[in-house]
Amino acid sequence: MVTEFMRLLSYNIHKGIGGRDRRYDLDRIWRVIREEEPDLVCLQEVAQNARRTHHHDQPLMLAERLAAAAHLFQMNVRYREGGYGNLVLSRWPFHRRHQVSLRLGRRKPRGAQMVVVETAEGPLHLSNVHLGLAEKERHWQVNHLLHHPLFRESIHLPTLIVGDCNDWRNTLAAGPFARYAFEQVTGPPRHFRSFPAFLTVLALDKAFHHGGVVIRHARVVRSALARRASDHLPLVIDFHLDYGRRR
């Protein structure tokens, strides 16, 4: 079965706290996501049992509200109570799921999720990442991920890597991703500025693909609601799979 396209949304939700009004309102995040009708959702900074977010179990709440067939949460940063991390939501089941730490030394904990999704067009290898603030750290993190045996076991499949890359100087595409034959979806950067949401200056939220992923269209969501809901704007990618293009 071949559909017209599949839609992925990547979004740093800032724990549901508005970037400008600093008000916690997870309903705004849910509405922003729902309006785009994605098949796959990759979120960063999703809180669980944290005081600032009313001890809500955001991964479960979002999975239920979006009627996800499968979801996977990765706690990266821990508070005295609860913490936050990455979340993948899917309308299709996961065939394989892994999570790895991308923490470098004593820097802030970061992580990557890797799932093989049984989409309507076949298996998709999808990775959701949140990278560090220092450039050398980010390059180490991408190399660590792309070398990791749990990542390599599914690299023969069409592969998408998305998330908050914090790559404000845009050096990852021509660096580690190029060395592994990944193409950037989110270029040129001036068309994908996503931070800060209320007055975008930096293209921090990025996507890269390898193998039989055919990109139909990619854009940043710039609705009035999205500008209030988080400090980042969401990235939306429409794509399909073509197994004849696999490397």
Side-chain angles (χ1 to χ4, degrees):
M1 175 182 178
V2 177
T3 58
E4 183 180 356
F5 60 81
M6 294 178 281
R7 173 165 291 175
L8 179 147
L9 181 144
S10 177
Y11 193 9
N12 182 327
I13 69 168
H14 198 228
K15 313 166 197 73
I17 300 169
R20 200 164 194 178
D21 62 21
R22 305 296 296 171
R23 180 167 62 89
Y24 173 58
D25 186 351
L26 191 64
D27 185 64
R28 293 191 295 195
I29 297 295
W30 172 64
R31 287 160 54 203
V32 169
I33 298 171
R34 183 187 61 182
E35 286 176 1
E36 298 303 321
E37 299 183 331
D39 302 299
L40 300 161
V41 180
C42 292
L43 304 178
Q44 305 86 44
E45 293 197 20
V46 181
Q48 185 180 59
N49 194 37
R51 181 184 300 177
R52 177 67 177 85
T53 52
H54 304 172
H55 297 278
H56 286 164
D57 187 343
Q58 291 184 351
L60 182 60
M61 292 171 67
L62 289 167
E64 290 178 346
R65 288 189 182 188
L66 295 168
H71 71 280
L72 180 65
F73 176 62
Q74 177 186 37
M75 180 78 81
N76 291 324
V77 178
R78 296 184 182 275
Y79 302 138
R80 182 173 298 179
E81 294 179 87
Y84 66 89
N86 300 339
L87 174 66
V88 179
L89 304 164
S90 172
R91 67 174 295 185
W92 300 290
F94 297 148
H95 172 67
R96 191 174 294 155
R97 57 178 74 194
H98 299 300
Q99 305 194 121
V100 299
S101 171
L102 296 181
R103 188 176 193 179
L104 177 60
R106 302 186 67 178
R107 293 183 181 272
K108 186 176 183 178
R110 305 284 180 173
Q113 300 177 288
M114 298 164 283
V115 295
V116 174
V117 187
E118 294 294 346
T119 79
E121 297 183 358
L124 168 70
H125 183 209
L126 174 64
S127 184
N128 178 29
V129 303
H130 191 183
L131 305 183
L133 298 178
E135 186 167 336
K136 288 184 179 179
E137 176 188 15
R138 293 191 293 272
H139 281 246
W140 177 88
Q141 288 168 331
V142 173
N143 276 305
H144 181 71
L145 173 64
L146 298 182
H147 273 104
H148 201 286
L150 294 177
F151 183 87
R152 302 300 302 174
E153 72 180 18
S154 299
I155 194 60
H156 62 286
L157 298 172
T159 300
L160 262 174
I161 301 176
V162 302
D164 179 0
C165 292
N166 276 313
D167 182 26
W168 62 275
R169 294 185 66 237
N170 302 298
T171 63
L172 290 174
F177 282 116
R179 287 196 294 273
Y180 285 87
F182 275 83
E183 298 178 35
Q184 185 173 15
V185 178
T186 47
R190 67 180 180 276
H191 294 161
F192 292 92
R193 292 171 180 159
S194 59
F195 181 88
F198 57 87
L199 185 64
T200 52
V201 176
L202 302 175
L204 301 186
D205 301 276
K206 299 183 185 297
F208 303 87
H209 70 100
H210 173 91
V213 176
V214 180
I215 304 299
R216 295 287 301 274
H217 184 63
R219 60 185 168 84
V220 171
V221 178
R222 303 187 184 279
S223 67
L225 180 60
R227 291 181 183 276
R228 298 194 306 271
S230 172
D231 61 348
H232 285 244
L233 295 177
L235 170 67
V236 169
I237 302 166
D238 295 335
F239 69 99
H240 67 88
L241 304 184
D242 182 353
Y243 272 78
R245 297 193 182 191
R246 288 184 295 174
R247 291 181 175 88

